[in-house]
PDB file of all heavy atoms in Angstrom:
ATOM      1  N   LYS A   1     100.916 111.636  86.942  1.00 98.00           N
ATOM      2  CA  LYS A   1      99.713 112.317  87.617  1.00 98.00           C
ATOM      3  C   LYS A   1      98.657 112.574  86.684  1.00 98.00           C
ATOM      4  O   LYS A   1      98.958 113.179  85.531  1.00 98.00           O
ATOM      5  CB  LYS A   1     100.068 113.525  88.460  1.00 98.00           C
ATOM      6  CG  LYS A   1      98.945 114.186  89.123  1.00 98.00           C
ATOM      7  CD  LYS A   1      99.201 115.468  89.714  1.00 98.00           C
ATOM      8  CE  LYS A   1      99.345 116.639  88.585  1.00 98.00           C
ATOM      9  NZ  LYS A   1      99.481 117.937  89.245  1.00 98.00           N
ATOM     10  N   CYS A   2      97.453 111.971  86.709  1.00 98.00           N
ATOM     11  CA  CYS A   2      96.457 112.203  85.784  1.00 98.00           C
ATOM     12  C   CYS A   2      95.472 113.367  86.055  1.00 98.00           C
ATOM     13  O   CYS A   2      94.797 113.828  85.145  1.00 98.00           O
ATOM     14  CB  CYS A   2      95.565 110.887  85.647  1.00 98.00           C
ATOM     15  SG  CYS A   2      94.626 110.321  87.063  1.00 98.00           S
ATOM     16  N   ASN A   3      95.465 113.853  87.314  1.00 97.00           N
ATOM     17  CA  ASN A   3      94.383 114.775  87.836  1.00 97.00           C
ATOM     18  C   ASN A   3      93.070 114.105  88.112  1.00 97.00           C
ATOM     19  O   ASN A   3      92.823 112.995  87.497  1.00 97.00           O
ATOM     20  CB  ASN A   3      94.315 115.950  86.833  1.00 97.00           C
ATOM     21  CG  ASN A   3      95.471 116.830  86.788  1.00 97.00           C
ATOM     22  OD1 ASN A   3      96.017 117.207  87.737  1.00 97.00           O
ATOM     23  ND2 ASN A   3      95.898 117.360  85.596  1.00 97.00           N
ATOM     24  N   PRO A   4      92.349 114.587  88.905  1.00 98.00           N
ATOM     25  CA  PRO A   4      91.184 113.900  89.331  1.00 98.00           C
ATOM     26  C   PRO A   4      90.069 113.787  88.202  1.00 98.00           C
ATOM     27  O   PRO A   4      89.926 114.654  87.455  1.00 98.00           O
ATOM     28  CB  PRO A   4      90.552 114.759  90.539  1.00 98.00           C
ATOM     29  CG  PRO A   4      91.786 115.501  91.010  1.00 98.00           C
ATOM     30  CD  PRO A   4      92.642 115.775  89.922  1.00 98.00           C
ATOM     31  N   GLY A   5      89.366 112.770  88.236  1.00 98.00           N
ATOM     32  CA  GLY A   5      88.223 112.504  87.339  1.00 98.00           C
ATOM     33  C   GLY A   5      88.468 111.465  86.302  1.00 98.00           C
ATOM     34  O   GLY A   5      89.604 111.077  85.932  1.00 98.00           O
ATOM     35  N   LYS A   6      87.352 110.845  85.875  1.00 98.00           N
ATOM     36  CA  LYS A   6      87.405 109.766  85.028  1.00 98.00           C
ATOM     37  C   LYS A   6      87.994 110.051  83.540  1.00 98.00           C
ATOM     38  O   LYS A   6      88.813 109.318  82.965  1.00 98.00           O
ATOM     39  CB  LYS A   6      86.039 109.180  84.771  1.00 98.00           C
ATOM     40  CG  LYS A   6      85.429 108.530  86.040  1.00 98.00           C
ATOM     41  CD  LYS A   6      84.339 107.638  85.880  1.00 98.00           C
ATOM     42  CE  LYS A   6      83.118 108.368  85.195  1.00 98.00           C
ATOM     43  NZ  LYS A   6      81.958 107.699  84.950  1.00 98.00           N
ATOM     44  N   VAL A   7      87.603 111.233  83.015  1.00 98.00           N
ATOM     45  CA  VAL A   7      88.188 111.601  81.768  1.00 98.00           C
ATOM     46  C   VAL A   7      89.647 111.878  81.802  1.00 98.00           C
ATOM     47  O   VAL A   7      90.455 111.346  80.903  1.00 98.00           O
ATOM     48  CB  VAL A   7      87.433 112.845  81.163  1.00 98.00           C
ATOM     49  CG1 VAL A   7      88.231 113.329  79.841  1.00 98.00           C
ATOM     50  CG2 VAL A   7      85.972 112.454  80.832  1.00 98.00           C
ATOM     51  N   ASN A   8      90.114 112.536  82.771  1.00 98.00           N
ATOM     52  CA  ASN A   8      91.496 112.691  82.887  1.00 98.00           C
ATOM     53  C   ASN A   8      92.294 111.437  83.181  1.00 98.00           C
ATOM     54  O   ASN A   8      93.413 111.201  82.592  1.00 98.00           O
ATOM     55  CB  ASN A   8      91.828 113.650  84.171  1.00 98.00           C
ATOM     56  CG  ASN A   8      91.379 115.186  83.969  1.00 98.00           C
ATOM     57  OD1 ASN A   8      91.490 115.673  82.862  1.00 98.00           O
ATOM     58  ND2 ASN A   8      90.858 115.755  85.029  1.00 98.00           N
ATOM     59  N   ALA A   9      91.603 110.449  84.034  1.00 98.00           N
ATOM     60  CA  ALA A   9      92.384 109.266  84.109  1.00 98.00           C
ATOM     61  C   ALA A   9      92.365 108.488  82.947  1.00 98.00           C
ATOM     62  O   ALA A   9      93.370 107.776  82.593  1.00 98.00           O
ATOM     63  CB  ALA A   9      91.626 108.546  85.347  1.00 98.00           C
ATOM     64  N   ALA A  10      91.468 108.326  82.173  1.00 98.00           N
ATOM     65  CA  ALA A  10      91.414 107.613  80.929  1.00 98.00           C
ATOM     66  C   ALA A  10      92.390 108.177  79.999  1.00 98.00           C
ATOM     67  O   ALA A  10      93.089 107.313  79.291  1.00 98.00           O
ATOM     68  CB  ALA A  10      89.936 107.577  80.381  1.00 98.00           C
ATOM     69  N   LEU A  11      92.365 109.493  79.887  1.00 98.00           N
ATOM     70  CA  LEU A  11      93.456 110.088  78.887  1.00 98.00           C
ATOM     71  C   LEU A  11      94.821 109.734  79.244  1.00 98.00           C
ATOM     72  O   LEU A  11      95.572 109.339  78.379  1.00 98.00           O
ATOM     73  CB  LEU A  11      93.054 111.619  78.867  1.00 98.00           C
ATOM     74  CG  LEU A  11      93.951 112.467  78.050  1.00 98.00           C
ATOM     75  CD1 LEU A  11      93.523 112.336  76.543  1.00 98.00           C
ATOM     76  CD2 LEU A  11      93.891 113.918  78.366  1.00 98.00           C
ATOM     77  N   CYS A  12      95.099 109.803  80.513  1.00 98.00           N
ATOM     78  CA  CYS A  12      96.472 109.564  80.941  1.00 98.00           C
ATOM     79  C   CYS A  12      96.778 108.196  80.768  1.00 98.00           C
ATOM     80  O   CYS A  12      97.970 107.738  80.288  1.00 98.00           O
ATOM     81  CB  CYS A  12      96.585 109.927  82.386  1.00 98.00           C
ATOM     82  SG  CYS A  12      98.202 109.706  83.116  1.00 98.00           S
ATOM     83  N   THR A  13      95.895 107.248  81.065  1.00 98.00           N
ATOM     84  CA  THR A  13      96.099 105.768  80.819  1.00 98.00           C
ATOM     85  C   THR A  13      96.374 105.390  79.535  1.00 98.00           C
ATOM     86  O   THR A  13      97.297 104.664  79.152  1.00 98.00           O
ATOM     87  CB  THR A  13      94.892 104.978  81.443  1.00 98.00           C
ATOM     88  OG1 THR A  13      94.669 105.354  82.735  1.00 98.00           O
ATOM     89  CG2 THR A  13      95.150 103.389  81.435  1.00 98.00           C
ATOM     90  N   GLN A  14      95.597 105.928  78.530  1.00 98.00           N
ATOM     91  CA  GLN A  14      95.637 105.563  77.061  1.00 98.00           C
ATOM     92  C   GLN A  14      97.119 106.149  76.689  1.00 98.00           C
ATOM     93  O   GLN A  14      97.829 105.462  75.781  1.00 98.00           O
ATOM     94  CB  GLN A  14      94.485 106.116  76.333  1.00 98.00           C
ATOM     95  CG  GLN A  14      94.646 105.606  74.877  1.00 98.00           C
ATOM     96  CD  GLN A  14      94.306 104.180  74.800  1.00 98.00           C
ATOM     97  OE1 GLN A  14      93.352 103.600  75.298  1.00 98.00           O
ATOM     98  NE2 GLN A  14      95.339 103.398  74.199  1.00 98.00           N
ATOM     99  N   ALA A  15      97.461 107.284  76.904  1.00 98.00           N
ATOM    100  CA  ALA A  15      98.724 107.932  76.626  1.00 98.00           C
ATOM    101  C   ALA A  15      99.914 107.090  77.148  1.00 98.00           C
ATOM    102  O   ALA A  15     100.796 106.915  76.461  1.00 98.00           O
ATOM    103  CB  ALA A  15      98.721 109.342  77.228  1.00 98.00           C
ATOM    104  N   MET A  16      99.718 106.542  78.369  1.00 98.00           N
ATOM    105  CA  MET A  16     100.739 105.781  78.822  1.00 98.00           C
ATOM    106  C   MET A  16     100.941 104.508  78.090  1.00 98.00           C
ATOM    107  O   MET A  16     102.055 103.944  77.812  1.00 98.00           O
ATOM    108  CB  MET A  16     100.476 105.527  80.360  1.00 98.00           C
ATOM    109  CG  MET A  16     101.527 104.689  81.036  1.00 98.00           C
ATOM    110  SD  MET A  16     101.336 104.457  82.851  1.00 98.00           S
ATOM    111  CE  MET A  16     101.816 105.930  83.517  1.00 98.00           C
ATOM    112  N   ILE A  17      99.853 103.823  77.890  1.00 98.00           N
ATOM    113  CA  ILE A  17      99.943 102.495  77.037  1.00 98.00           C
ATOM    114  C   ILE A  17     100.399 102.787  75.745  1.00 98.00           C
ATOM    115  O   ILE A  17     101.229 101.943  75.255  1.00 98.00           O
ATOM    116  CB  ILE A  17      98.389 101.978  77.019  1.00 98.00           C
ATOM    117  CG1 ILE A  17      97.986 101.516  78.441  1.00 98.00           C
ATOM    118  CG2 ILE A  17      98.290 100.803  76.062  1.00 98.00           C
ATOM    119  CD1 ILE A  17      96.491 101.069  78.475  1.00 98.00           C
ATOM    120  N   ASP A  18      99.975 103.800  75.084  1.00 97.00           N
ATOM    121  CA  ASP A  18     100.355 104.071  73.607  1.00 97.00           C
ATOM    122  C   ASP A  18     101.851 104.254  73.551  1.00 97.00           C
ATOM    123  O   ASP A  18     102.539 103.941  72.462  1.00 97.00           O
ATOM    124  CB  ASP A  18      99.512 105.145  72.986  1.00 97.00           C
ATOM    125  CG  ASP A  18      98.087 104.890  72.772  1.00 97.00           C
ATOM    126  OD1 ASP A  18      97.894 103.679  72.655  1.00 97.00           O
ATOM    127  OD2 ASP A  18      97.349 105.756  72.492  1.00 97.00           O
ATOM    128  N   ASN A  19     102.439 105.127  74.543  1.00 97.00           N
ATOM    129  CA  ASN A  19     103.748 105.713  74.367  1.00 97.00           C
ATOM    130  C   ASN A  19     104.903 104.868  75.028  1.00 97.00           C
ATOM    131  O   ASN A  19     106.085 105.133  74.862  1.00 97.00           O
ATOM    132  CB  ASN A  19     103.783 107.099  74.702  1.00 97.00           C
ATOM    133  CG  ASN A  19     102.965 107.977  73.759  1.00 97.00           C
ATOM    134  OD1 ASN A  19     103.486 108.262  72.750  1.00 97.00           O
ATOM    135  ND2 ASN A  19     101.773 108.398  74.272  1.00 97.00           N
ATOM    136  N   PHE A  20     104.490 104.036  76.038  1.00 97.00           N
ATOM    137  CA  PHE A  20     105.408 103.476  76.952  1.00 97.00           C
ATOM    138  C   PHE A  20     105.557 102.073  76.963  1.00 97.00           C
ATOM    139  O   PHE A  20     106.286 101.310  77.597  1.00 97.00           O
ATOM    140  CB  PHE A  20     105.329 103.995  78.371  1.00 97.00           C
ATOM    141  CG  PHE A  20     105.648 105.505  78.328  1.00 97.00           C
ATOM    142  CD1 PHE A  20     104.589 106.346  78.401  1.00 97.00           C
ATOM    143  CD2 PHE A  20     106.906 106.062  78.254  1.00 97.00           C
ATOM    144  CE1 PHE A  20     104.884 107.737  78.439  1.00 97.00           C
ATOM    145  CE2 PHE A  20     107.224 107.431  78.357  1.00 97.00           C
ATOM    146  CZ  PHE A  20     106.071 108.314  78.295  1.00 97.00           C
ATOM    147  N   GLY A  21     104.619 101.405  76.313  1.00 91.00           N
ATOM    148  CA  GLY A  21     104.505  99.874  76.183  1.00 91.00           C
ATOM    149  C   GLY A  21     104.519  99.289  77.398  1.00 91.00           C
ATOM    150  O   GLY A  21     105.165  98.166  77.651  1.00 91.00           O
ATOM    151  N   ILE A  22     103.763  99.601  78.492  1.00 97.00           N
ATOM    152  CA  ILE A  22     103.635  99.171  79.713  1.00 97.00           C
ATOM    153  C   ILE A  22     103.062  97.703  79.800  1.00 97.00           C
ATOM    154  O   ILE A  22     102.146  97.432  78.984  1.00 97.00           O
ATOM    155  CB  ILE A  22     102.987  99.929  80.736  1.00 97.00           C
ATOM    156  CG1 ILE A  22     101.481 100.135  80.329  1.00 97.00           C
ATOM    157  CG2 ILE A  22     103.596 101.289  81.013  1.00 97.00           C
ATOM    158  CD1 ILE A  22     100.592 100.997  81.277  1.00 97.00           C
ATOM    159  N   SER A  23     103.632  96.891  80.624  1.00 97.00           N
ATOM    160  CA  SER A  23     102.938  95.455  80.712  1.00 97.00           C
ATOM    161  C   SER A  23     101.928  95.385  81.786  1.00 97.00           C
ATOM    162  O   SER A  23     101.219  94.304  81.775  1.00 97.00           O
ATOM    163  CB  SER A  23     104.209  94.478  80.986  1.00 97.00           C
ATOM    164  OG  SER A  23     104.851  94.902  82.289  1.00 97.00           O
ATOM    165  N   ALA A  24     101.950  96.262  82.684  1.00 98.00           N
ATOM    166  CA  ALA A  24     100.800  96.183  83.685  1.00 98.00           C
ATOM    167  C   ALA A  24     100.678  97.742  84.244  1.00 98.00           C
ATOM    168  O   ALA A  24     101.598  98.450  84.017  1.00 98.00           O
ATOM    169  CB  ALA A  24     101.129  95.203  84.869  1.00 98.00           C
ATOM    170  N   LEU A  25      99.543  97.952  84.915  1.00 98.00           N
ATOM    171  CA  LEU A  25      99.350  99.255  85.557  1.00 98.00           C
ATOM    172  C   LEU A  25      98.738  99.177  86.891  1.00 98.00           C
ATOM    173  O   LEU A  25      97.776  98.352  87.219  1.00 98.00           O
ATOM    174  CB  LEU A  25      98.516 100.016  84.530  1.00 98.00           C
ATOM    175  CG  LEU A  25      98.391 101.592  84.826  1.00 98.00           C
ATOM    176  CD1 LEU A  25      98.066 102.396  83.535  1.00 98.00           C
ATOM    177  CD2 LEU A  25      97.204 101.887  85.805  1.00 98.00           C
ATOM    178  N   ILE A  26      99.197 100.156  87.820  1.00 98.00           N
ATOM    179  CA  ILE A  26      98.669 100.290  89.050  1.00 98.00           C
ATOM    180  C   ILE A  26      98.203 101.641  89.353  1.00 98.00           C
ATOM    181  O   ILE A  26      98.825 102.578  89.006  1.00 98.00           O
ATOM    182  CB  ILE A  26      99.653  99.893  90.220  1.00 98.00           C
ATOM    183  CG1 ILE A  26     100.152  98.467  90.121  1.00 98.00           C
ATOM    184  CG2 ILE A  26      99.068 100.164  91.538  1.00 98.00           C
ATOM    185  CD1 ILE A  26     101.331  98.129  91.012  1.00 98.00           C
ATOM    186  N   ASN A  27      96.909 101.776  89.712  1.00 98.00           N
ATOM    187  CA  ASN A  27      96.345 103.090  90.094  1.00 98.00           C
ATOM    188  C   ASN A  27      96.279 103.158  91.602  1.00 98.00           C
ATOM    189  O   ASN A  27      95.797 102.223  92.243  1.00 98.00           O
ATOM    190  CB  ASN A  27      94.858 103.168  89.526  1.00 98.00           C
ATOM    191  CG  ASN A  27      94.147 104.471  89.953  1.00 98.00           C
ATOM    192  OD1 ASN A  27      92.944 104.403  90.183  1.00 98.00           O
ATOM    193  ND2 ASN A  27      94.871 105.577  90.046  1.00 98.00           N
ATOM    194  N   VAL A  28      96.982 104.143  92.084  1.00 97.00           N
ATOM    195  CA  VAL A  28      97.138 104.260  93.587  1.00 97.00           C
ATOM    196  C   VAL A  28      96.691 105.533  94.026  1.00 97.00           C
ATOM    197  O   VAL A  28      96.655 106.612  93.257  1.00 97.00           O
ATOM    198  CB  VAL A  28      98.768 104.236  93.741  1.00 97.00           C
ATOM    199  CG1 VAL A  28      99.502 105.287  93.207  1.00 97.00           C
ATOM    200  CG2 VAL A  28      98.962 104.163  95.443  1.00 97.00           C
ATOM    201  N   GLY A  29      96.263 105.741  95.200  1.00 96.00           N
ATOM    202  CA  GLY A  29      95.786 106.965  95.860  1.00 96.00           C
ATOM    203  C   GLY A  29      94.865 106.856  97.048  1.00 96.00           C
ATOM    204  O   GLY A  29      94.917 105.746  97.677  1.00 96.00           O
TER     205      GLY A  29
END
C-alpha cells in the first residue's frame, strides 16, 4: 500500500524495485 498521491506512489514504487527485484508491476485500485 503506497497511500494516495504521486509522491507516495513514486516512493513506494522505487523502494519495491530497489529491494525486491520485481520483473513487472501492476498498479490497482
Side-chain angles (χ1 to χ4, degrees):
K1 180 185 78 171
C2 65
N3 290 315
K6 295 193 300 176
V7 172
N8 290 326
L11 183 71
C12 181
T13 304
Q14 191 64 58
M16 182 178 281
I17 292 170
D18 288 344
N19 292 285
F20 299 98
I22 59 170
S23 57
L25 191 149
I26 296 172
N27 175 219
V28 62

